[in-house]
Amino acid sequence: MIRQLDTDLEISSIPLVDLATQSRQIKEDVLRRMSDVIDSARYILGQEVQEFEEQFAAYCGVDHCVGLANGTDALHMALRALDVGEGDEVITAGNSFAATAFAIAYSGAQAVFVDIDPVDFNIDPNRIEAAITPRTKAIIPVHLYGQPAQMAAIREIADRHGLKIIEDAAQAHGAESNGQRCGSFGDIGCFSFYPGKNLGAFGDAGAAVTNDPELAERLRLLRNYGQKVKNRHDCLGYNCRMDTLQACVLLSKMQHIEDWTNSRRQVAAWYGEALAGTDLQLPVERDDARHVYHLYVVRHPQRDAIIESLAAKNIFCGVHYPHPLATAQPFQDAKTFPEGLPVCTSAASAILSLPMYPEMTHQHVSMVAKALVDFGC
């Protein structure tokens, strides 16, 4: 479903993300579902949560989905379910959002940061083995911007060294490698449904998916105070359940996720055509991948000046992310491979997220492209 605007219609501004337009499409369905929850008072782990879990598991091509309060909790609970803790090390990419590293710290383990592939911006499999020590327990590849990490290579390394894999798929709902959905490659896949995600709630929500029934049961215990039966606490659990009202939103959006993904891919194609003659470095979709373009990230040495120039024309961009994780105060003593993360560091000063959302039209893209060309790109 590619939406077009009348070319005579004036566009006053182009946001980085337009949540309001998408929300209006599903408003009535969401309100109907929420009304049912209010009437039944099924506010905690209601049937809508289970219904969403079943639908999302099928969408990811796995057997189990466990709804959680947010994506950070999904990563944290995944680490707990795999018994990662004090004295362990977890390898991850150096350029993710802070939640990836924070979840490792919450578990008591140490984050070890590996540099990225300069083409797809995901963790570089060729750098991983240098970071493995006897303390290494798991690898968390991040499917950044909506492009799958190189999971076949990562899986081979993990299997050879007896390591667990937790996929950070917070930006990769529906992304695929060789026809297989992100979240289904590792022991556990973790998703965020933060409002701005490709599949977003009207507040915080998340999920962990797996093919392992024992891990799924462990995750269900961990999210609900260790309870399988009320007031019987079988393990040290947490309070990180998905809210039933957020499940209503996600159920409504599940009906549109593939149309919205196809629209994102069309917007990316329009950008590729419109910006082909510029000196911007454009994103590259790997041959084996289905990129879902959570973000459309280009590179340019005058990134900050471009942001300022486009903002003056009411076109708003972003930076994801301006600093490698190892520079954050909680992780300044962490190991990095290679030291200093040169590719991450170089990219951080040049990456630029252009406006990207399913409701963008060819006219929107043309306006963004013209503004970039006018700047001198």
Side-chain angles (χ1 to χ4, degrees):
M1 178 183 67
I2 308 301
R3 299 179 54 176
Q4 295 288 348
L5 280 182
D6 187 327
T7 55
D8 294 329
L9 183 64
E10 182 178 354
I11 300 173
S12 59
S13 67
I14 302 177
L16 175 64
V17 178
D18 183 1
L19 298 181
T21 296
Q22 184 179 96
S23 296
R24 284 193 291 269
Q25 298 176 48
I26 62 168
K27 180 178 178 179
E28 294 305 317
D29 188 57
V30 170
L31 289 175
R32 176 185 61 79
R33 293 175 187 273
M34 286 187 169
S35 179
D36 289 343
V37 172
I38 292 167
D39 289 343
S40 65
R42 300 186 304 265
Y43 302 121
I44 303 297
L45 294 180
Q47 69 181 38
E48 289 79 6
V49 173
Q50 182 177 348
E51 184 180 349
F52 171 73
E53 290 172 338
E54 291 170 355
Q55 288 191 21
F56 195 67
Y59 183 73
C60 294
V62 299
D63 294 333
H64 305 279
C65 171
V66 179
L68 296 160
N70 54 65
T72 309
D73 280 339
L75 290 165
H76 182 201
M77 294 305 101
L79 289 158
R80 293 292 187 189
L82 292 168
D83 294 320
V84 176
E86 294 286 345
D88 295 328
E89 293 179 347
V90 178
I91 292 169
T92 193
N95 63 333
S96 182
F97 179 60
T100 312
F102 275 31
I104 296 170
Y106 296 157
S107 75
Q110 299 294 314
V112 176
F113 299 111
V114 169
D115 215 345
I116 57 174
D117 183 291
V119 175
D120 69 12
F121 276 19
N122 286 318
I123 190 169
D124 186 344
N126 296 313
R127 303 284 191 180
I128 290 176
E129 288 200 89
I132 295 173
T133 74
R135 296 174 59 191
T136 306
K137 190 75 170 285
I139 304 172
I140 302 183
V142 182
H143 305 301
L144 199 68
Y145 306 149
Q147 173 137 258
Q150 298 174 54
M151 291 307 302
I154 295 169
R155 178 84 267 175
E156 190 277 329
I157 294 168
D159 288 347
R160 186 151 38 85
H161 291 272
L163 305 177
K164 302 297 184 181
I165 294 178
I166 300 170
E167 296 174 66
D168 184 338
Q171 300 183 2
H173 312 71
E176 299 176 3
S177 179
N178 291 315
Q180 183 175 343
R181 288 270 165 92
C182 288
S184 66
F185 292 95
D187 296 275
I188 301 175
C190 298
F191 291 87
S192 167
F193 304 121
Y194 180 79
K197 302 300 186 185
N198 291 27
L199 182 65
F202 285 178
D204 278 318
V209 301
T210 183
N211 281 313
D212 187 325
E214 292 184 6
L215 284 177
E217 183 61 21
R218 175 81 170 157
L219 288 162
R220 292 187 187 101
L221 286 172
L222 287 167
R223 76 174 173 183
N224 191 30
Y225 297 106
Q227 300 175 111
K228 185 174 183 180
V229 177
K230 188 173 178 64
N231 293 322
R232 191 187 79 194
H233 306 280
D234 296 328
C235 67
L236 179 64
Y238 302 82
N239 177 13
C240 55
R241 304 165 297 211
M242 177 182 285
D243 187 276
T244 305
L245 293 174
Q246 299 304 338
C248 292
V249 179
L250 295 170
L251 282 168
S252 293
K253 288 194 172 187
M254 281 296 293
Q255 301 173 69
H256 304 276
I257 182 64
E258 279 302 293
D259 283 340
W260 290 339
T261 297
N262 290 334
S263 292
R264 287 177 179 275
R265 288 177 57 77
Q266 178 62 77
V267 171
W270 285 333
Y271 269 133
E273 294 166 2
L275 300 174
T278 68
D279 59 358
L280 292 161
Q281 289 182 265
L282 305 183
V284 176
E285 182 177 33
R286 294 200 321 273
D287 291 341
D288 68 315
R290 183 206 193 201
H291 198 319
V292 295
Y293 293 100
H294 172 61
L295 296 167
Y296 189 86
V297 178
V298 300
R299 282 174 278 178
H300 195 280
Q302 293 179 274
R303 186 267 311 285
D304 294 340
I306 291 174
I307 292 175
E308 184 177 347
S309 175
L310 268 61
K313 299 180 179 182
N314 290 321
I315 298 172
F316 299 98
C317 303
V319 179
H320 300 84
Y321 299 95
H323 309 289
L325 283 172
T327 66
Q329 184 63 39
F331 306 108
Q332 288 183 355
D333 294 330
K335 300 176 186 176
T336 58
F337 291 86
E339 185 176 352
L341 304 174
V343 182
C344 282
T345 301
S346 174
S349 64
I351 49 177
L352 172 66
S353 300
L354 300 182
M356 167 57 78
Y357 44 94
E359 295 74 26
M360 285 189 75
T361 67
H362 195 274
Q363 186 179 358
H364 286 102
V365 173
S366 295
M367 290 178 64
V368 176
K370 183 178 185 303
L372 290 165
V373 171
D374 289 348
F375 175 83
C377 293

